[in-house]
Amino acid sequence: MDQGGALRAPLPAARSAPAAAPPAAPSVPTVAPKPPVKQRDSFFDNAKYLAIVLVAMGHAWEPLRGDSRAAAALYITVYTFHMPAFIVISGYFSRSFDASPGRLKRLVTGIAVPYVIFEVAYTFFKRWAGDDPTYPISLLDPWYLTWFLVALFVWRLTTPLWKVVRWPLPLALAIAVLASVSPDIGDDLDLQRVLQFLPFFVLGLCLKPEHFQIVRRREARILALPVFAAALLFAYWAAPRMNAAWFYRRDSAQELAAPGWAGGVMTLAMFGCSVVLVACFFAWVPGRRLWFTALGAGTLYGYLLHGFVAKGSRFWDWYELDWLHTPLGEITVTMGAAALITVLCTPPVQRLFKFAMEPDMEWAFKKDAKALARRRGAHRRG
C-alpha cells in the first residue's frame, strides 16, 4: 500500500461532494473539581499539643517553687522554651499571610474577637472569684493569658514587612533588646511581651521544612538528652539566685531592678538558650500520628480555657493544702494539669466553645466581589 497516499490531494469528484458534518455531541455539564483537602502535619500537631501541656504544667508548678527547688528548676527550664516553641510554630504557619481580605477576616474572627471575648470573660471571673468587684474591663491591658492573642495579632499583621526586609531576625532581635531597656513602654497591649517575644515569631517565618528535618535526625535526638540534662542542672543551681520574671518578658531590665545594659545581655542570652532548647524539644517530638495528634488542632482552646482553673486555684487557695507540697502532691498536680489541658483540647470542647474561638461572622464583612464572580462563573458552566 502506498503510505504517501494519505498526503495526496483528493480527487475532483470527491472535492465536489462536501462531507456531512458529524452530529453535535450532547452538552455535558462541567463539574468543577473540588480542591484537595490539605492534610495536617502530624509533627506540628504533636508539637503544639506537647507544648501546651508544658504550658499548663508550668502554671501548675508556679505556687510550688517556694517549697521545692526541683519544681523551681523544672519551672525555669520549661519556661525557657515552651512559649518560644509555640511562637516559632505560629510564625512558621504565618508565612503565607499576605493581608488579603480572606486572611484579614480570619485574623479578626480567629484572634481579635476571641481576645475581646476572653478579656471580658476573665475580667468578670476575676471580679467574682478574686473578690474584686471593681476590677475594670480594659481591652488595652491584657489580663493573664490573653496577651498572646494581642501579640499574635500584631506579629501576623507585620508578616509582610518581615518578608521584604533583608535581615529580619537581627532586626527583630534589635527591637527586643531596645524594648528590654525601655521602661517607658508601659503596659498597654502588653507591648513588652509583644516586642521581646517577637524574634521567635520572626524565626518561625524564616524557617523552612528542611530545618525541621535537621533537628529530627537521630543524631539530634541523642544530643538533645545531655543538653536537657545540662539545662536542668543549671536551672537547679540558678533557681534560688535568679529572678524568674526574666522569662516572662513583660518587664524592662530597670523594672526588674537591674541595670539597663543587663536587658540587652539577658535578651540575647535567653534567646540563644531558648533556641537551643526549642531545637531539643522538636528533636523529640514524634512525627507519626498518635492518640493525641488530633488535639493539636485545639491547643488555643486549651490555652485560654485552662486559665480559669489556673487562676481559680489561687483565688480559692487550693495550694494551701499541705500534701500538695510533698513529692506525691507535686506529681499529682503535674498529672492533673496534663489531664485538664488534654480534655480542654478535645473536639467536644472545641464544638462547645467554637462560638467564642471561631465565630461565623460573615454578616460583619463585605462580600468579596472576585469570589462572587468566580462562583457565578462556575454556576453558569455547571
Side-chain angles (χ1 to χ4, degrees), residues 138-173:
S138 175
L139 297 182
L140 294 179
D141 187 12
W143 190 71
Y144 198 34
L145 303 179
T146 54
W147 71 268
F148 180 69
L149 295 178
V150 173
L152 190 55
F153 186 88
V154 174
W155 295 334
R156 196 161 284 172
L157 273 182
T158 62
T159 295
L161 171 64
W162 300 111
K163 289 180 179 179
V164 299
V165 298
R166 180 165 293 180
W167 301 291
L169 188 55
L171 178 59
L173 279 169

Side-chain angles (χ1 to χ4, degrees), residues 40-275:
R40 296 184 66 92
D41 190 321
S42 296
F43 169 78
F44 289 107
D45 278 338
N46 292 339
K48 288 194 293 182
Y49 167 75
L50 294 173
I52 208 65
V53 167
L54 291 173
V55 169
M57 287 180 175
H59 290 153
W61 292 334
E62 188 172 356
L64 303 175
R65 293 179 297 149
D67 299 320
S68 171
R69 192 168 175 178
L74 285 170
Y75 181 86
I76 289 175
T77 304
V78 165
Y79 263 74
T80 304
F81 73 91
H82 67 357
M83 282 310 294
F86 211 86
I87 295 168
V88 166
I89 296 173
S90 299
Y92 181 74
F93 283 99
S94 297
R95 294 171 302 158
S96 60
F97 184 84
D98 55 5
S100 62
R103 289 194 166 93
L104 287 175
K105 290 178 185 177
R106 175 62 183 156
L107 190 64
V108 171
T109 58
I111 297 179
V113 172
Y115 168 69
V116 173
I117 292 174
F118 275 88
E119 183 64 27
V120 173
Y122 273 139
T123 300
F124 281 107
F125 180 73
K126 181 174 173 60
R127 288 180 178 182
W128 168 65
D131 195 21
D132 189 0
T134 62
Y135 189 79
I137 295 176
S138 175
L139 297 182
L140 294 179
D141 187 12
W143 190 71
Y144 198 34
L145 303 179
T146 54
W147 71 268
F148 180 69
L149 295 178
V150 173
L152 190 55
F153 186 88
V154 174
W155 295 334
R156 196 161 284 172
L157 273 182
T158 62
T159 295
L161 171 64
W162 300 111
K163 289 180 179 179
V164 299
V165 298
R166 180 165 293 180
W167 301 291
L169 188 55
L171 178 59
L173 279 169
I175 291 172
V177 168
L178 289 174
S180 70
V181 298
S182 304
D184 295 331
I185 287 179
D187 296 328
D188 288 350
L189 297 179
D190 228 341
L191 279 179
Q192 280 287 1
R193 274 176 163 162
V194 173
L195 299 177
Q196 291 193 42
F197 275 115
L198 173 64
F200 299 103
F201 183 81
V202 175
L203 175 61
L205 289 175
C206 297
L207 292 177
K208 298 178 181 179
E210 51 265 32
H211 294 133
F212 290 95
Q213 293 300 326
I214 293 173
V215 299
R216 292 170 64 186
R217 292 177 179 173
R218 182 172 180 271
E219 299 87 343
R221 289 198 298 272
I222 294 173
L223 184 60
L225 293 175
V227 172
F228 262 126
L232 279 170
L233 286 174
F234 179 79
Y236 190 84
W237 172 84
R241 299 173 172 85
M242 184 178 180
N243 186 352
W246 284 105
F247 296 96
Y248 306 151
R249 292 175 171 86
R250 66 187 177 197
D251 300 299
S252 66
Q254 294 90 331
E255 291 171 301
L256 295 176
W261 60 264
V265 173
M266 288 296 292
T267 297
L268 296 176
M270 288 194 302
F271 178 78
C273 293
S274 296
V275 167

